[in-house]
């Protein structure tokens, strides 16, 4: 028996659920992941558990499956009306939120769950990091300390990518970013061939025309998204998660001589913490306040995390 949803003010466009209420909406959807698979999907600084998948992500995948099925019926109605055999148009899900909030894990879990529904839909995952301008361009424009800010992206290429997908193109390509070299991989494009679902994960996927007042085209990624998710958390936690992740990278990926940040691996822990805190305050925290957080209320669904990356509440647009 489902629990009644929490009463919310009439002025809000969202229905609000606490963790227990949201978990009840799983409604007997079977678990299709085991502990080993969840471990592979887990982020470097997260404590993703089977309970989290069962209580948060299975209800979400059930909701998305309803929306996707409804969208396919709508497409069929249009084809019947026009008397055509329409092109395959993917359903696009975007995932936004701060650096270190766990967007990538959310995207990977949803990709795994949505691909295992009985319909066996093809689910592709693309991150917008690949659409950052290459470092050479950022350096030329004096934007290396603005990586992740709106002006650091090739937004025209990103918009063309999602526009081509929504136009039914049989094949599109997306650039790929390497966190090891801290740059777009030259000639490393990923080919995307007519997926049923595309998950697009990145800092900027909820931004719209008001975020780019000088752009003459006024067409944005958000114009092509069918369902959007914002992964939220208090800034104090985000800063702590960012610093902890930085320290884990320092012990792991940064120790690779090919890493762009290899020099950080040689630092004493206290110095590394101070550098990470400075990077948060001067770049990532600033970007959150100026460009990312203001887009939160545009999302179809907002999931809010507390300690240990556990989602404690969900808001769903009415």
């Amino acid at each position: 028996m489902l629990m009644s949803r929490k009463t919310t003010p009439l002025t809000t466009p969202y229905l609000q659920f606490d963790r227990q209420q949201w978990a009840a909406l799983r409604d007997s959807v079977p678990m299709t992941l085991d502990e080993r698979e969840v471990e592979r999907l887990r982020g470097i600084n997260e404590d993703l558990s089977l309970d989290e998948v069962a209580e948060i992500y299975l209800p979400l995948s059930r909701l998305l499956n309803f929306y996707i099925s409804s969208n396919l019926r709508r497409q069929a109605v249009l084809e019947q009306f026009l008397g055509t055999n329409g092109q395959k148009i993917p359903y696009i899900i975007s995932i936004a939120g701060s650096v270190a909030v766990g967007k990538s894990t959310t995207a990977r879990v949803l990709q795994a769950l949505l691909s295992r529904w009985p319909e066996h839909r093809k689910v592709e995952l693309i991150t917008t990091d690949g659409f950052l301008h290459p470092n050479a361009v950022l350096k030329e424009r004096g934007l290396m300390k603005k990586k992740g800010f709106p002006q650091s992206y090739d937004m025209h290429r990103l918009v063309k990518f999602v526009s081509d997908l929504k136009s039914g193109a049989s094949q599109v390509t997306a650039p790929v970013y390497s966190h090891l070299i801290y740059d777009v991989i030259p000639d490393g494009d990923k080919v995307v061939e007519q997926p049923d679902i595309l998950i697009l994960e990145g800092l900027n996927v909820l931004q719209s025309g008001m975020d780019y007042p000088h752009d003459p085209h006024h067409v944005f990624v958000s114009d092509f998204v069918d369902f959007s998710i914002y992964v939220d958390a208090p800034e104090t936690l985000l800063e702590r998660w960012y610093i902890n992740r930085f320290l884990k990278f320092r012990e792991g990926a940064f120790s690779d001589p090919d890493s762009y940040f290899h020099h950080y691996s040689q630092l004493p822990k206290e110095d590394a913490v101070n550098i990470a805190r400075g990077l948060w305050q001067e770049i990532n925290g600033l970007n959150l306040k100026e460009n990312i957080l203001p887009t939160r209320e545009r999302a179809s669904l907002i999931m809010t995390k507390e300690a240990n990356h556990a989602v404690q509440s969900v808001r769903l647009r009415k």
Side-chain angles (χ1 to χ4, degrees), residues 255-269:
S255 63
D256 187 325
D258 292 328
S259 170
Y260 182 87
F261 295 108
H262 178 63
H263 58 288
Y264 288 148
S265 68
Q266 314 299 317
L267 293 174
K269 182 177 178 180

Side-chain angles (χ1 to χ4, degrees), residues 115-154:
S115 65
R116 296 185 187 194
W117 277 81
E119 294 83 358
H120 298 294
R121 293 181 176 127
K122 179 182 177 183
V123 187
E124 286 279 7
L125 170 57
I126 294 292
T127 67
T128 62
D129 290 346
F131 293 90
L132 284 161
H133 287 296
N135 285 355
V137 174
L138 295 177
K139 288 175 182 175
E140 181 184 331
R141 299 180 183 179
L143 293 174
M144 281 299 286
K145 289 190 175 181
K146 291 289 186 181
K147 232 180 191 186
F149 284 65
Q151 60 267 41
S152 66
Y153 288 91
D154 186 345

Side-chain angles (χ1 to χ4, degrees), residues 157-310:
R157 185 173 183 184
L158 177 54
V159 168
K160 186 176 189 312
F161 170 76
V162 291
S163 175
D164 287 349
L165 277 172
K166 277 296 190 182
S167 300
S170 60
Q171 188 179 92
V172 294
T173 58
V176 176
Y177 187 84
S178 166
H179 288 276
L180 179 69
I181 64 172
Y182 195 58
D183 203 353
V184 179
I185 300 174
D187 303 317
D189 289 4
K190 178 179 179 178
V191 177
V192 179
E193 297 179 336
Q194 292 193 311
D196 298 297
I197 303 166
L198 176 79
I199 298 174
L200 188 65
E201 177 256 307
L203 304 173
N204 57 348
V205 291
L206 281 171
Q207 289 165 355
S208 65
M210 65 183 69
D211 303 299
Y212 297 90
H214 304 298
D215 192 302
H217 297 282
H218 297 293
V219 180
F220 303 93
V221 173
S222 53
D223 296 327
F224 300 96
V225 170
D226 297 289
F227 190 92
S228 53
I229 298 167
Y230 187 96
V231 187
D232 195 22
E235 187 179 349
T236 52
L237 282 180
L238 290 170
E239 181 175 0
R240 185 192 311 165
W241 293 342
Y242 177 79
I243 292 170
N244 289 342
R245 190 178 73 170
F246 186 92
L247 293 177
K248 289 190 176 182
F249 278 137
R250 168 180 162 270
E251 297 167 0
F254 291 173
S255 63
D256 187 325
D258 292 328
S259 170
Y260 182 87
F261 295 108
H262 178 63
H263 58 288
Y264 288 148
S265 68
Q266 314 299 317
L267 293 174
K269 182 177 178 180
E270 184 179 349
D271 290 348
V273 168
N274 290 333
I275 285 173
R277 183 174 289 113
L279 289 172
W280 174 264
Q281 293 172 352
E282 295 169 19
I283 300 175
N284 297 293
L286 187 63
N287 194 21
L288 170 66
K289 289 190 277 281
E290 290 184 358
N291 301 303
I292 302 168
L293 192 57
T295 71
R296 180 179 60 189
E297 308 303 318
R298 299 175 193 163
S300 310
L301 180 141
I302 302 168
M303 51 184 4
T304 301
K305 292 183 173 184
E306 295 298 339
N308 301 320
H309 279 267

